[in-house]
């Protein structure tokens, strides 16, 4: 991210930059090549101005150096900043000494030292000082450089006596020319590093440093070829000023970028802060002792239910956990907060390293209301079932009993017709009662089902046979049972299906004895059971009708029944996530097949 | 077991049709009995505790109790009888229209002595009443004196 941003600023207003550079460099080169036109006969004469200039530049250099060092500590991936900064910082020390002793032998010595230190600092970028990273982080580099500079200044102070200084100034031009030349070469070395770095990373800073290095190198290299202490110092000072200008602009740009980035980050942070606040669902952040650290706008409606004290969340006792438990386990826990018709799903997310718990709530009141409605309607249905069984039966019983009482008491006084009418009335009441009973059973499939359990169908059939043993014996039925699977089902309801299908097979049989075969096979997601018989069969045209409520295919005189049995079977099987169907043709026996889901699929959710 | 007096039966039933039927059924029985009828739970408790105008009430030998009654329902009456030290030895036969599992379980939980669903068929009804009377009043040995 960073290199792309830097490279984009490289091309920022290039025309202006090039113009400034040309305006600076063209006169500078001209002055170098043709000094006679500029300051041929001006000798080194203005010592005070020199001092002021040197002091000012030393100050600028020092400030720049320090700024670079500081910046390097916040841009840890850019080691070169620190090196260049250190170079400038040290250089500024000697430049100050140079200014202080300008015109004397000391001044000349310090000038050379300043030049050398600056160039060494820059050339040091070649050394991959990874260990400097840790040092730099605690500002030891600055301390080290300051101490080293002071020590070096002290050594020079003691070694260079006024006598030797004069000697150096008079006799040593060759030495100073050499030092200056070497410094120039070191600056060139530094520039090569920055050029390489720029080619690989496209850092904007590198361009500035390349410019600084080249200008400084140029100044140092031409110094030995000038009449050193003549008026060219003007010119050299100008070059140094240009280098500082470049560096200053680089530093300022760094600050500008930093400010821009900071503003961006602030903007992002601000929008991040608003982000949860604009969440229509409550979001809370609480400390380990329940103090509310953050609560978004939507959490206003939920806070009264969570806070017993002002601004302090207390988890309801029903949750059975505390914030300490949550933080200890570290796992997100989902709980439901229910208050009358209002319900929230709370995700309690502990953040261990911050010792806080984030609470994300979701309004599930609609779902909860639907659940309550369902509960209510289930209760109503149960109530209805109870009323059917009791209150509807009672008047029926009265009719039946009293009609029979008439028959009993007045039998002798009634004629044949009257007795027949009474029989019809009693039979009607009996059938009505059976229908009510059937409806009741049908409704109880949902309301009074038991939870699903593991059922061994072989054992189950044994109990079924025991229950209907009288009937089996009566019609002399031959029943074979294959090995059946163990399934997950409501035991009572499953046995009811088998009992119903086997009873039907025995009932709808014209040519006794009935032959019945029960088998079970495994499918991918389901178990399939089959009850096959040799009975009267069913016309395929009506095959789908027989599972409807109160559907009968035969007259009551021939085959009794209410037409509720198969409807109940179908409903039970639907509860078990399966299907029931019949394969048959008239007179050719029937095969009733049904499936139940393997996973213990319970359509009603729970068994109540 | 021979009692030298008529058998006292308390019928707690709110449906006049059923009261009459029970009376008719008992009429056909050979056992000499006095049938006392109360039509709600509160009246039943007054009768049993001999209070509020029932001071002359006799202690019944058998209680036939319907579950769904006005005011105080049969379950409450049953609970009160079976927690009352002086009354709990009286056999209570629950005779009701309901065959709901929860009613059956609840009645036995409250220590009903037996639970019978009223049959739809008159002959069965008469038979049931006879059997109940014979069983509880002729076959079974009960403590003779009220405590």
């Amino acid at each position: 991210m960073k290199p792309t941003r830097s490279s984009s600023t490289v091309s920022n207003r290039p025309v202006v930059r090039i113009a400034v550079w040309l305006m600076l460099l063209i006169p500078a080169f001209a002055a170098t090549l043709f000094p006679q036109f500029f300051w041929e006969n001006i000798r080194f004469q203005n010592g005070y101005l020199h001092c002021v200039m040197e002091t000012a530049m030393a100050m600028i250099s020092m400030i720049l150096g320090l700024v670079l060092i500081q910046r390097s500590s916040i841009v840890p991936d850019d080691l070169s900043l620190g090196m260049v900064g250190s170079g400038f910082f040290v250089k500024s020390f000697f430049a100050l000494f140079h200014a202080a002793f300008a015109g004397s032998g000391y001044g000349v010595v310090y000038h050379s030292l300043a030049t050398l230190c600056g160039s060494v600092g820059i050339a040091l970028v070649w050394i991959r000082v990874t260990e400097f990273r840790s040092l730099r982080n605690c500002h030891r580099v600055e301390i080290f450089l300051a101490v080293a500079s002071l020590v070096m200044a002290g050594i020079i102070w003691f070694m260079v006596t006024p006598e030797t200084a004069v000697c150096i100034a008079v006799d040593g031009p060759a030495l100073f020319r050499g030092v200056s030349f070497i410094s120039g070469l070191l600056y060139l070395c530094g520039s090569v590093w920055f050029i390489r770095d720029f080619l690989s990373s496209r850092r904007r800073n590198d361009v500035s440093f390349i410019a600084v290095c080249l200008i400084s190198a140029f100044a140092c290299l031409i110094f030995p070829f000038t009449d050193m202490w003549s008026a060219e110092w003007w010119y050299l000072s100008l070059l140094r000023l240009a280098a500082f200008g470049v560096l200053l602009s680089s530093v300022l740009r760094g600050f500008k970028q930093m400010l821009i980035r900071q503003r961006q980050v602030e903007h992002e942070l601000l929008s991040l802060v608003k982000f949860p606040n604009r969440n229509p669902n409550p979001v809370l952040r609480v400390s380990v002792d329940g103090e509310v650290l953050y609560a978004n706008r939507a959490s206003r409606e939920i806070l009264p239910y969570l806070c017993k004290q002002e601004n302090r969340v207390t988890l309801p006792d029903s949750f059975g956990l505390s914030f300490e438990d949550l933080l200890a386990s570290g796992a997100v826990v989902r709980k439901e907060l229910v208050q009358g018709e209002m319900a929230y799903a709370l995700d309690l997310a502990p953040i261990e390293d911050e010792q806080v718990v984030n609470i994300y709530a979701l309004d599930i009141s609609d779902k909860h209301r639907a659940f309550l409605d369902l509960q209510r309607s289930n209760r109503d249905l149960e109530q209805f079932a109870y009323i059917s069984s009791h209150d509807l039966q009672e008047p029926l019983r009265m009719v039946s009993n009293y009609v029979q009482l008439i028959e009993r008491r007045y039998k002798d006084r009634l004629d044949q017709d009257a007795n027949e009418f009474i029989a019809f009335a009693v039979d009607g009441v009996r059938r009505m009662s059976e229908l009510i009973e059937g409806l009741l059973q049908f409704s109880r499939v949902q309301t009074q089902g038991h939870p699903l359990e593991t059922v061994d169908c072989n054992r189950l059939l044994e109990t079924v046979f025991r229950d209907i043993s009288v009937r089996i014996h009566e019609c002399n039925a031959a029943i074979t049972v294959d090995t059946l699977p163990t399934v997950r089902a409501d035991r009572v309801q499953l046995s009811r299906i088998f009992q119903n299908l086997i009873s039907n097979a025995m009932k709808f049989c014209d040519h006794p004895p009935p032959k019945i075969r029960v088998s079970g096979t495994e499918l991918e997601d389901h178990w399939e059971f089959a009850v096959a018989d040799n009975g009267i069969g069913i016309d395929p045209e009506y095959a789908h009708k027989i599972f409807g409520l109160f559907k009968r295919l035969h007259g009551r005189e021939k085959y009794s029944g209410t037409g509720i049995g198969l409807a109940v079977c179908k409903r039970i099987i639907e509860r078990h996530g399966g299907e029931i169907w019949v394969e048959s043709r008239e007179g050719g026996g029937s095969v009733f097949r049904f499936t139940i889901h393997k996973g213990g699929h319970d359509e009603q959710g729970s068994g109540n | 077991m021979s009692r030298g007096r008529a058998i006292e039966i308390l019928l707690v039933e709110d449906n006049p049709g059923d009261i009459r039927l029970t009376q008719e059924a008992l009429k056909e029985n050979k056992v000499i009995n006095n049938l006392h009828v109360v039509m709600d739970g509160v009246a039943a408790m007054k009768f049993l505790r001999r209070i509020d105008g029932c001071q002359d009430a006799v202690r019944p030998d058998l209680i036939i109790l319907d579950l769904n009654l006005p005011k105080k329902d049969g379950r409450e009456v049953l609970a009160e009888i079976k927690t009352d030290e002086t009354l709990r030895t009286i056999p209570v036969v629950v005779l009701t229209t309901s065959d709901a599992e929860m009613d059956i379980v609840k009645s036995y939980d409250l220590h009903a002595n037996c639970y019978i669903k009223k049959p739809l068929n008159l002959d069965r009804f008469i038979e049931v009443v006879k059997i109940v009377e014979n069983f509880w009043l002729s076959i079974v040995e009960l403590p003779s004196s009220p405590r």
Side-chain angles (χ1 to χ4, degrees):
Chain A
M1 183 172 132
K2 202 168 146 245
T4 50
R5 181 173 294 165
S6 307
S7 63
S8 73
T9 49
V10 169
S11 56
N12 189 15
R13 288 174 291 158
V15 182
V16 178
R17 277 152 201 280
I18 290 167
V20 170
W21 277 108
L22 288 179
M23 281 158 68
L24 268 175
L25 288 178
I26 290 172
F29 276 99
T32 314
L33 295 174
F34 311 104
Q36 63 273 23
F37 296 123
F38 288 82
W39 40 59
E40 176 66 8
N41 296 313
I42 306 168
R43 303 293 302 170
F44 177 75
Q45 47 194 227
N46 199 337
Y48 292 114
L49 182 60
H50 182 115
C51 274
V52 171
M53 281 286 282
E54 289 289 349
T55 308
M57 278 196 281
M59 290 301 208
I60 295 172
S61 172
M62 183 176 278
I63 291 166
L64 278 175
L66 283 174
V67 168
L68 283 175
I69 289 168
Q70 287 302 326
R71 268 204 73 194
S72 77
S73 64
I74 56 169
V75 191
D77 61 330
D78 193 355
L79 277 173
S80 59
L81 282 178
M83 307 309 299
V84 177
S86 307
F88 274 86
F89 184 72
V90 176
K91 183 183 174 178
S92 70
F93 263 88
F94 296 110
L96 272 179
F97 280 110
H98 168 60
F101 299 101
S104 74
Y106 291 116
V108 181
V109 173
Y110 284 125
H111 177 264
S112 292
L113 263 174
T115 314
L116 191 62
C117 285
S119 62
V120 167
I122 290 213
L124 276 177
V125 295
W126 280 96
I127 305 166
R128 285 275 164 210
V129 272
T130 42
E131 58 270 25
F132 259 41
R133 188 186 291 264
S134 58
L135 280 174
R136 195 184 54 200
N137 281 347
C138 43
H139 296 287
R140 281 184 201 154
V141 175
E142 292 95 311
I143 296 164
F144 166 77
L145 287 172
V147 172
S149 308
L150 284 172
V151 169
M152 277 176 78
I155 290 170
I156 290 165
W157 181 264
F158 285 111
M159 279 182 61
V160 183
T161 59
E163 292 78 34
T164 52
V166 174
C167 291
I168 291 168
V170 176
D171 304 330
L175 178 66
F176 302 132
R177 284 174 208 272
V179 168
S180 184
F181 193 76
I182 290 167
S183 299
L185 291 178
L186 287 171
Y187 275 123
L188 276 182
C189 280
S191 70
V192 172
W193 189 90
F194 285 115
I195 289 168
R196 273 183 40 163
D197 192 54
F198 177 71
L199 291 178
S200 66
S201 71
R202 300 267 150 196
R203 254 202 289 258
R204 184 66 175 83
N205 274 339
D206 287 341
V207 180
S208 307
F209 288 146
I210 292 165
V212 169
C213 287
L214 287 178
I215 294 170
S216 303
F218 181 67
C220 289
L221 287 177
I222 63 162
F223 180 71
F225 305 107
T226 57
D227 189 4
M228 285 189 292
W229 318 120
S230 67
E232 279 106 343
W233 72 267
W234 278 103
Y235 166 58
L236 291 174
S237 295
L238 258 177
L239 277 183
R240 272 153 73 196
L241 262 179
F244 286 153
V246 170
L247 206 57
L248 198 63
S249 86
S250 151
V251 166
L252 288 178
R253 197 187 51 251
F255 278 121
K256 187 177 145 196
Q257 279 178 351
M258 221 160 70
L259 282 173
I260 291 171
R261 204 170 311 145
Q262 193 182 339
R263 205 169 300 163
Q264 277 174 344
V265 168
E266 274 173 9
H267 188 75
E268 281 167 25
L269 272 177
L270 213 65
S271 73
L272 270 179
V273 169
K274 284 177 186 165
F275 176 65
N277 210 25
R278 287 176 181 163
N279 189 340
N281 298 314
V283 176
L284 291 164
R285 189 175 176 80
V286 299
S287 69
V288 67
D289 51 356
E291 191 192 341
V292 178
L293 304 174
Y294 174 82
N296 74 348
R297 213 178 300 157
S299 57
R300 257 181 251 155
E301 50 199 87
I302 193 178
L303 273 174
Y305 301 110
L306 282 173
C307 294
K308 282 180 191 162
Q309 303 168 38
E310 180 82 1
N311 222 30
R312 192 167 292 271
V313 169
T314 318
L315 290 179
D317 295 339
S318 59
F319 285 12
L321 58 91
S322 66
F323 290 123
E324 281 95 345
D325 302 340
L326 274 167
L327 284 162
S329 77
V332 178
V333 176
R334 170 164 284 208
K335 291 284 179 187
E336 278 186 14
L337 180 72
V338 178
Q339 205 83 34
E341 290 217 330
M342 181 223 72
Y344 279 90
L346 301 184
D347 279 333
L348 306 165
I351 314 292
E352 284 154 296
D353 50 353
E354 294 175 52
Q355 286 292 298
V356 297
V357 176
N358 290 351
I359 303 177
Y360 307 99
L362 188 67
D363 190 343
I364 52 164
S365 297
D366 288 349
K367 211 173 117 190
H368 182 65
R369 265 194 292 276
F371 172 72
L372 289 180
D373 285 348
L374 193 70
Q375 266 191 337
R376 250 194 302 273
S377 108
N378 263 350
R379 265 201 305 275
D380 290 349
L381 202 63
E382 273 171 58
Q383 190 65 24
F384 167 76
Y386 184 80
I387 289 168
S388 310
S389 101
H390 188 270
D391 296 359
L392 294 185
Q393 295 271 27
E394 191 150 296
L396 272 182
R397 217 165 32 73
M398 286 297 103
V399 174
S400 167
N401 285 169
Y402 278 93
V403 170
Q404 285 173 318
L405 195 58
I406 294 171
E407 188 189 25
R408 201 182 174 96
R409 198 61 65 79
Y410 307 103
K411 202 164 193 169
D412 309 336
R413 279 176 265 172
L414 293 175
D415 61 6
Q416 183 62 32
D417 279 356
N419 282 323
E420 210 172 299
F421 299 163
I422 288 172
F424 279 125
V426 171
D427 186 53
V429 168
R430 182 187 54 75
R431 282 214 317 277
M432 183 74 197
S433 171
E434 277 174 11
L435 289 179
I436 291 172
E437 184 62 27
L439 266 182
L440 200 61
Q441 285 172 9
F442 190 73
S443 79
R444 280 177 182 165
V445 168
Q446 293 293 319
T447 57
Q448 299 200 349
H450 299 276
L452 304 191
E453 55 182 319
T454 308
V455 180
D456 178 356
C457 293
N458 302 296
R459 289 257 183 89
L460 188 81
L461 273 185
E462 282 171 25
T463 60
V464 169
F465 292 146
R466 210 173 300 139
D467 290 344
I468 54 172
S469 58
V470 177
R471 181 96 182 90
I472 294 172
H473 191 72
E474 272 171 14
C475 48
N476 200 21
I479 305 179
T480 48
V481 181
D482 294 357
T483 307
L484 297 178
T486 297
V487 300
R488 271 191 72 73
D490 179 332
R491 182 187 296 276
V492 177
Q493 292 187 341
L494 188 61
S495 77
R496 184 166 191 150
I497 296 173
F498 281 116
Q499 189 171 332
N500 226 305
L501 294 180
I502 293 168
S503 300
N504 277 352
M506 292 191 291
K507 184 159 81 179
F508 298 102
C509 186
D510 268 352
H511 309 285
K515 287 194 184 120
I516 300 165
R517 185 189 178 94
V518 183
S519 58
T521 43
E522 184 171 4
L523 304 179
E524 199 176 327
D525 295 327
H526 293 78
W527 293 102
E528 185 184 301
F529 294 90
V531 178
D533 63 49
N534 61 340
I536 59 171
I538 297 158
D539 185 341
E541 201 183 323
Y542 305 114
H544 63 281
K545 281 194 172 178
I546 57 173
F547 299 104
L549 203 53
F550 301 132
K551 290 292 177 199
R552 300 168 47 87
L553 297 184
H554 307 279
R556 210 162 267 120
E557 310 76 43
K558 197 164 183 194
Y559 300 105
S560 63
T562 54
I564 204 115
L566 286 175
V568 171
C569 284
K570 184 164 189 272
R571 200 162 160 121
I572 292 174
I573 285 160
E574 279 167 0
R575 189 196 152 197
H576 287 75
E579 286 177 81
I580 183 167
W581 67 99
V582 63
E583 293 160 6
S584 178
R585 60 194 165 83
E586 198 140 22
S590 315
V591 185
F592 279 86
R593 292 183 191 278
F594 67 92
T595 55
I596 62 176
H597 200 273
K598 272 182 187 169
H601 182 101
D602 191 343
E603 300 244 299
Q604 85 189 63
S606 68
N608 49 34
Chain B
M1 180 161 108
S2 93
R3 293 181 178 88
R5 57 176 173 87
I7 299 300
E8 308 292 337
I9 299 174
L10 175 64
L11 174 66
V12 190
E13 170 67 68
D14 64 319
N15 181 355
D18 274 325
I19 296 170
R20 184 69 197 269
L21 269 184
T22 313
Q23 285 168 340
E24 295 297 327
L26 287 172
K27 235 184 254 174
E28 297 192 9
N29 212 0
K30 287 177 225 108
V31 184
I32 307 156
N33 56 59
N34 291 329
L35 185 68
H36 308 274
V37 181
V38 288
M39 293 186 63
D40 64 63
V42 175
M45 289 322 294
K46 278 183 190 166
F47 185 94
L48 288 169
R49 295 201 165 128
R50 297 177 204 171
I51 49 172
D52 280 354
C54 297
Q55 283 83 354
D56 303 330
V58 293
R59 177 187 161 92
D61 298 298
L62 178 71
I63 300 170
I64 300 175
L65 179 68
D66 190 13
L67 283 186
N68 292 351
L69 296 169
K71 293 184 192 169
K72 189 179 273 187
D73 88 352
R75 300 162 194 82
E76 293 168 79
V77 173
L78 181 60
E80 279 189 38
I81 293 172
K82 289 302 178 185
T83 50
D84 187 317
E85 279 199 19
T86 58
L87 299 176
R88 67 183 173 202
T89 51
I90 305 172
V92 178
V93 174
V94 174
L95 185 64
T96 181
T97 323
S98 161
D99 65 343
E101 184 73 14
M102 59 174 184
D103 278 340
I104 299 172
V105 171
K106 176 87 182 165
S107 299
Y108 283 111
D109 274 349
L110 294 172
H111 305 292
N113 294 75
C114 68
Y115 185 105
I116 297 168
K117 187 194 171 188
K118 290 174 185 167
L120 205 59
N121 184 301
L122 180 71
D123 294 339
R124 287 285 301 153
F125 188 90
I126 291 170
E127 196 185 336
V128 162
V129 172
K130 277 184 189 170
I131 289 171
V132 164
E133 202 183 18
N134 287 335
F135 181 77
W136 286 108
L137 303 175
S138 307
I139 299 171
V140 170
E141 290 287 347
L142 293 168
S144 54
S145 60
R147 270 169 291 168

